[in-house]
């Protein structure tokens, strides 16, 4: 009886060890047959205090979600020209606790770019969150895109709602976050990384970037895994506006109707400027 009990006790430990060994035995790679929108890895080049990021996605989406054109550009980013960093939440209908999160950055010229930590999928591969929590099935990449690309991708291609919250931390800290995410992009460029739903997802990778800059700035919270609660969490931490109830702040952050209204604006810079003007007028 005692032996049987010990065997039963050992089985979960063996299972955990087996899973850990599986992660160690498999090596992440940049060399796979990637889906078109994940096919190009952003490449960072430092230019003094500025950065050039190659392979920034600037696709054109029709209102029916189809792709009109697949364009990749090189973005010249000067953190000293940053005027606002934004935290974005894209909830999934299946469960309000689950969402995709991203960071957006707008600059003095009115232009903007989005950085998004995503499970990099191969051709024909479907995202599977439970599987990715226990098995090394996806690498992750930091997708960089123009605002027009990412917002149209959300509104027209995915058919999701998008909430965009301005960070209220000091501007010098926002600039440091931008530099930190660029550094993370370069790190992934140099060395492939495994995606993990629990430990390396769209939210907690960004949280660790911030904590690497200022330890303890983003306390560990359920929102690190239940990413749909990340905006509530930032509200409680006073990192997004708190001059109204969370429900009101969330309502103001809902930008999908504005994106849809600007769906015919051509050009990445023109779209970012038009969105800024529209939101300022509301």
């Amino acid at each position: 009886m005692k032996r049987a009990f010990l065997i039963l006790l050992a089985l979960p430990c063996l299972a955990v060890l087996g899973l850990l060994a599986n992660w160690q035995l498999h090596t992440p790679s940049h060399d796979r047959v990637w889906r078109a929108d994940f096919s190009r890895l952003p490449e960072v080049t430092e230019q003094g205090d500025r950065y050039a990021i190659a392979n920034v996605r600037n696709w054109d989406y029709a209102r029916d979600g189809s792709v009109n054109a697949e364009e990749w550009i090189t973005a010249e980013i000067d953190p000293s020209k940053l005027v606002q960093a934004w935290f974005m939440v894209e909830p999934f209908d299946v469960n309000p606790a689950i969402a995709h999160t991203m960071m957006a950055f707008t600059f003095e010229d009115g232009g903007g770019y989005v950085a998004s930590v995503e499970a990099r999928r191969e051709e024909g591969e479907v995202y599977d969150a439970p599987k990715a929590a226990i098995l090394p099935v996806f690498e992750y990449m930091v997708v960089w895109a123009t605002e027009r690309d990412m917002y149209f991708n959300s509104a027209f291609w995915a058919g999701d709602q998008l909430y965009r919250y301005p960070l209220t931390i000091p501007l010098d800290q926002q600039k440091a976050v931008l530099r930190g995410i660029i550094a993370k992009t370069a790190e992934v460029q140099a060395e492939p990384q495994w995606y993990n739903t629990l430990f390396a997802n769209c939210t907690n990778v960004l949280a660790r970037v911030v904590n690497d800059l200022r330890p303890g700035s983003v306390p560990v919270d359920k929102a690190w895994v239940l990413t749909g609660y990340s905006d509530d969490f930032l509200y409680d931490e006073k990192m997004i506006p708190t001059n109204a109830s969370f429900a009101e702040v969330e309502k103001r952050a809902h930008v999908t109707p504005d994106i849809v209204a600007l769906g015919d604006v051509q050009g990445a810079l023109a779209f970012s400027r038009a969105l800024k003007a529209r939101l300022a007028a509301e």
Side-chain angles (χ1 to χ4, degrees), residues 30 41-46 51-53 103 105 115-118 139-144 175-196 199-213 224:
H30 290 322
L41 192 72
E43 298 177 356
V44 176
T45 303
E46 290 191 40
Y51 303 88
I53 304 180
M103 291 291 301
F105 303 95
S116 173
V117 175
E118 301 190 23
E139 288 84 359
Y140 77 76
M141 65 183 291
V142 184
V143 174
W144 282 84
K175 293 175 180 178
V177 171
L178 171 58
R179 292 188 185 95
I181 294 175
I182 292 174
K184 172 59 69 174
T185 304
E187 178 185 318
V188 174
Q189 172 190 340
E191 183 177 357
Q193 307 283 331
W194 284 124
Y195 177 91
N196 183 284
F199 305 112
N201 63 36
C202 60
T203 302
N204 57 44
V205 168
L206 295 176
R208 281 193 291 272
V209 166
V210 177
N211 283 343
D212 286 344
L213 298 168
W224 283 40

Side-chain angles (χ1 to χ4, degrees), residues 139-174:
E139 288 84 359
Y140 77 76
M141 65 183 291
V142 184
V143 174
W144 282 84
T146 60
E147 285 190 301
R148 185 178 185 274
D149 173 305
M150 194 64 81
Y151 297 172
F152 283 11
N153 181 286
S154 169
F156 301 138
W157 185 81
D160 291 333
Q161 301 301 305
L162 190 64
Y163 297 80
R164 192 176 79 147
Y165 301 90
L167 292 187
T168 55
I169 61 176
L171 184 58
D172 63 330
Q173 294 179 24
Q174 295 181 41

Side-chain angles (χ1 to χ4, degrees), residues 4-20:
F5 174 76
L6 292 174
I7 291 174
L8 289 174
L9 191 64
L11 286 177
C13 296
L14 291 173
V16 171
L17 289 173
L19 289 173
L20 291 174

Side-chain angles (χ1 to χ4, degrees), residues 29-92:
S29 174
H30 290 322
D31 186 19
R32 305 191 192 279
V33 182
W34 302 111
R35 204 173 78 178
D37 50 341
F38 296 117
S39 61
R40 299 196 186 188
L41 192 72
E43 298 177 356
V44 176
T45 303
E46 290 191 40
Q47 301 175 335
D49 293 332
R50 304 179 182 184
Y51 303 88
I53 304 180
N55 297 326
V56 172
R57 204 177 66 204
N58 186 37
W59 288 20
D60 181 44
Y61 304 86
R63 288 180 176 271
D64 64 4
S66 59
V67 179
N68 290 328
E70 299 179 7
E71 181 185 23
W72 304 86
I73 63 173
T74 296
E76 304 290 337
I77 293 182
D78 182 352
S80 71
K81 303 297 185 183
L82 181 73
V83 295
Q84 183 63 58
W86 309 80
F87 183 78
M88 298 193 298
V89 180
E90 185 177 355
F92 298 150

